[in-house]
Amino acid sequence: MKKYAIILAAGKGTRMKTDLPKCAYPLLKKPMIAYIVENLYKSTAIDELITVVGHKKEMIQGILNSRVTYAVQEEQLGTGHAVLMAKDLITEDGCTIILPGDMPLIDEVVIKEAMAFHEKNKNNLTVVSTILDEPDGYGRIIKSNNQLEAIIEEKDATDKQKLIQEINTGIYIVDNKMLFDALDNISSNNAQNEYYLTDIVKILKSDNKKVSTYMLKKSYKAMGINDLYALSQAEGILRHEINKKIMKSGVAMINPDTITIGDNVRIEENVTIAPNCVITGNSVIKKNAVIGSSTEIHNSIIGENVNIKHSLIFNSEVKENTTIGPFAHLRDGAIVGPNNRIGNFVEIKKTTTGNEFKASHLAYLGDAEIGDNVNFGCGSITVNYDGTHKYKTKIGNDVFVGCNANLIAPIIIDDNATIAAGSTLNKNVPKDSLAIARSYQVNKENYFKNKKNGQKKK
Ligand code: UD1
Ligand code: CA
C-alpha cells in the first residue's frame, strides 16, 4: 500500500494582495511551502510527494526543485479541481494525505499521528479538524450524533453553522481510489463557484464509507495563511517555538522576542545572542560564540569563541577565536581564519584569510587569498575590478600592509613584505621587501608668509 502526499500550491493567494504566489511567502526567510515538504520528509510516513502548481508555478518549482513531483493546474477552479490534477500521478493503490500549501506550522508529529489514526481506525477518509475560538474564514465541521457528516465553507454556511467552532484544517487522509471516484462527482454549485475538495466528505458518507475526524489539540499548528497579518502571526509563533527550544538547549538569548532564528539553524551550547539578531538559512553557530546585537547571519558558519558585534555575515565562514565588527560585512564565500580581528567598517568578499589576520578598520578585501599573520592597515583595499573583470590578490605570510594602500589586482605580495602607507601598487612585491609607491612630500617653507596678505585661508 503506497502512501502519497498531495500539497496544494496552485492558488494565487488573492487575499495576500501582493504579487508573490502565496505558498512562496517566507517565514523566517524560508518559503512556507518548504516547511510543508521538509516536515513531510521528516515524518517518514510518505512514499511519494506531489505538489500541485499553477499560478507562477516556476517560483514554487524553483523553491522545491526535484524534492517533489509536480502536477499542473492551469486554471484555479478550486481545491477539489486541484487534487484532480494529480490523478495520473497516483498510479498505485493506497492512501493519500492532502495538505494545503499555506499551512507552514503543521509539523511532522501531526502528520505521523494523523496517518497512524487513519490506519488504526481503518478509515476511508480522515479529516483533520481542530477547535478555534475564532473560526472565521475556515470550513466548519458538521456532525450529527458526533459523526462527521459534511464540511461547509464559511461563505455557504448559515448563521447557525457559523457558530460551530470545530473547523476543517484542510488536511485529509483518504483512500486513493475513493478520492478520485468522489472527485468525479463534485460540482461547483456553491457561493464561490469552485470545485470544493471538502465535498468529498458528503459523497463518501452517502456511499457508506468510513469517514471521521482526527482532532488536532494544538490548534495553532493548523493556521492557514491567507493574508499578511496571518503570515506575521504564524511567524511570531514559529519564532517563539524555535527560540524556546534553542534556549532550553543551553543558548542564552537577551530579549528573545527581538531575536529571529530560522528553523534550519544549528546553535551549540553556551552561545549568547544579544537583541535584534537575525540568524537564518543553514547557519551553524559553534560553542561559546557571542553574537552581539543587531547582527544578521545567513547560511554561514561561526566558529567556537567567535565574538561578533553589529555585523552582517552572508554565505561565509568565521573560524575560531576571531572577533568581527562592529559594522563588518562578510559575504559571498568569505572564509575568515582563526584568531583574526575584523574591525569597524571592513567588507570581505570571496576572500580567504589565514591565522591571525587583522583588518581593524575601514578596509575592503575582495577576491583575495591571504596568509598567516598579516596586518591590513586602515583604509587599505584590494582593487579587484577594472569595470569589466574581477582579479585576484594574493598575500603571503607575515605581510604588513600600511594604511590607505591600493593593491591593484592581479597582484601577488610575497611573504614578509611591507607596503608603505598610501601606496598604490600595480606590480608584484617580492619576499622580504618594502614597497613604496607614492610621490615624495614637498614642504614649501614660509609659504603663507610670502603670500600677499600673509594670511592662511580660514
Ligand atoms: C480551505 C478549505 C477550508 C479550510 C481551509 C483551511 C476548501 C474548499 N476549503 O479554504 O475548508 O478550513 O482551507 O486552511 O478546500 N489551491 C489550489 N488550487 C485552487 C484553489 C486552491 O492549488 O484552485 C491551493 C491554494 O494555493 C492553497 C490551498 O489550495 O494553498 C487552499 O486554498 P485556499 O484558497 O487558501 O482555501 P481556503 O479558502 O483557506
Ligand atoms: Ca487557506
Side-chain angles (χ1 to χ4, degrees):
M1 291 286 266
K2 198 162 170 176
K3 289 173 195 154
Y4 294 88
I6 301 178
I7 306 159
L8 305 181
K12 181 170 185 290
T14 315
R15 288 165 282 182
M16 300 296 266
K17 303 202 166 102
T18 56
D19 288 342
L20 197 64
K22 178 163 71 174
C23 301
Y25 257 94
L27 283 90
L28 311 180
K29 292 204 186 162
K30 185 160 98 178
M32 60 173 114
I33 189 88
Y35 286 90
I36 296 165
V37 168
E38 283 175 24
N39 287 334
L40 279 164
Y41 272 112
K42 275 193 217 158
S43 77
T44 64
I46 312 297
D47 302 311
E48 197 176 325
L49 265 68
I50 297 161
T51 301
V52 184
V53 292
H55 178 72
K56 294 201 177 164
K57 60 176 183 291
E58 302 72 22
M59 286 199 72
I60 305 287
Q61 286 168 323
I63 293 164
L64 299 179
N65 302 314
S66 57
R67 285 189 277 180
V68 300
T69 315
Y70 296 98
V72 178
Q73 185 193 26
E74 296 292 355
E75 235 187 314
Q76 285 77 58
L77 302 177
T79 47
H81 179 256
V83 172
L84 204 51
M85 300 301 108
K87 187 176 179 177
D88 292 344
L89 296 171
I90 310 257
T91 48
E92 290 181 41
D93 285 348
C95 72
T96 295
I97 181 167
I98 302 168
L99 304 108
D102 64 351
M103 199 192 261
L105 302 185
I106 281 295
D107 58 23
E108 77 269 22
V109 181
V110 177
I111 295 163
K112 248 189 207 160
E113 285 178 0
M115 295 288 285
F117 175 91
H118 178 80
E119 280 165 31
K120 191 169 152 239
N121 290 280
K122 299 195 165 57
N123 281 349
N124 299 127
L125 166 66
T126 303
V127 175
V128 180
S129 71
T130 197
I131 306 273
L132 293 181
D133 288 343
E134 292 174 19
D136 312 51
Y138 290 91
R140 305 298 204 281
I141 298 287
I142 310 292
K143 284 183 171 168
S144 99
N145 297 327
N146 216 19
Q147 293 297 306
L148 173 63
E149 292 292 326
I151 298 169
I152 302 289
E153 289 307 294
E154 165 129 340
K155 288 188 176 141
D156 301 287
T158 62
D159 286 347
K160 201 169 159 222
Q161 286 168 333
K162 281 184 191 157
L163 296 174
I164 298 171
Q165 287 180 312
E166 186 173 2
I167 60 105
N168 168 30
T169 64
I171 301 175
Y172 320 80
I173 303 157
V174 54
D175 175 276
N176 295 344
K177 183 162 177 349
M178 290 176 200
L179 167 67
F180 292 106
D181 285 350
L183 286 177
D184 284 337
N185 290 308
I186 60 172
S187 80
S188 58
N189 186 14
N190 51 50
Q192 302 184 80
N193 297 318
E194 283 184 5
Y195 293 92
Y196 290 164
L197 176 58
T198 44
D199 284 354
I200 61 171
V201 175
K202 269 190 307 224
I203 296 169
L204 291 185
K205 191 77 195 171
S206 66
D207 238 5
N208 290 320
K209 301 295 189 228
K210 191 156 187 260
V211 166
S212 82
T213 52
Y214 169 75
M215 172 90 75
L216 177 63
K217 288 197 190 73
K218 292 189 176 168
S219 57
Y220 70 87
K221 291 188 182 178
M223 193 171 174
I225 312 298
N226 293 324
D227 55 38
L228 290 173
Y229 176 63
L231 182 78
S232 78
Q233 280 185 311
E235 198 172 41
I237 292 169
L238 199 61
R239 177 184 295 119
H240 182 82
E241 291 293 311
I242 291 171
N243 288 359
K244 185 164 95 185
K245 200 166 132 198
I246 289 174
M247 284 186 272
K248 288 193 174 212
S249 75
V251 171
M253 288 189 179
I254 303 161
N255 199 357
D257 287 349
T258 67
I259 296 172
T260 293
I261 312 282
D263 83 324
N264 296 113
V265 172
R266 201 161 58 74
I267 305 185
E268 293 181 359
E269 60 194 28
N270 212 26
V271 164
T272 299
I273 304 174
N276 297 315
C277 287
V278 179
I279 307 175
T280 48
N282 292 314
S283 296
V284 179
I285 316 290
K286 297 198 180 161
K287 270 195 264 177
N288 306 328
V290 177
I291 314 297
S293 61
S294 303
T295 292
E296 254 186 79
I297 298 172
H298 186 67
N299 279 338
S300 297
I301 300 171
I302 308 300
E304 285 186 23
N305 300 312
V306 165
N307 192 311
I308 303 173
K309 288 193 181 82
H310 270 83
S311 291
L312 306 176
I313 302 177
F314 304 121
N315 305 309
S316 294
E317 181 173 354
V318 179
K319 303 237 165 111
E320 64 277 8
N321 307 321
T322 283
T323 63
I324 305 281
F327 309 108
H329 184 189
L330 315 185
R331 62 185 178 92
D332 288 350
I335 301 178
V336 174
N339 308 302
N340 280 206
R341 158 107 191 86
I342 308 299
N344 311 256
F345 303 102
V346 174
E347 180 178 354
I348 302 187
K349 185 218 76 166
K350 243 188 227 166
T351 287
T352 308
T353 69
N355 189 26
E356 299 213 11
F357 170 74
K358 287 190 191 67
S360 299
H361 347 254
L362 302 163
Y364 171 65
L365 292 134
D367 306 298
E369 206 185 301
I370 299 170
D372 296 337
N373 196 26
V374 169
N375 187 89
F376 204 77
C378 177
S380 290
I381 60 165
T382 55
V383 182
N384 62 328
Y385 186 49
D386 64 2
T388 318
H389 295 105
K390 301 262 168 82
Y391 300 95
K392 285 200 78 167
T393 298
K394 211 168 166 234
I395 301 179
N397 298 323
D398 306 305
V399 168
F400 184 91
V401 179
C403 292
N404 242 27
N406 300 311
L407 311 182
I408 301 179
I411 190 165
I412 298 171
I413 319 285
D414 213 335
D415 291 352
N416 208 31
T418 294
I419 313 302
S423 294
T424 293
L425 303 185
N426 58 1
K427 286 205 282 281
N428 293 346
V429 179
K431 219 173 156 183
D432 300 322
S433 37
L434 167 69
I436 310 176
R438 64 185 186 213
S439 57
Y440 288 99
Q441 180 169 343
V442 177
N443 290 340
K444 302 214 169 174
E445 291 189 6
N446 295 321
Y447 180 72
F448 291 102
K449 254 193 203 158
N450 296 338
K451 278 190 127 180
K452 230 183 185 171
N453 59 8
Q455 285 292 306
K456 188 175 177 181
K457 248 193 184 166
K458 290 263 159 59

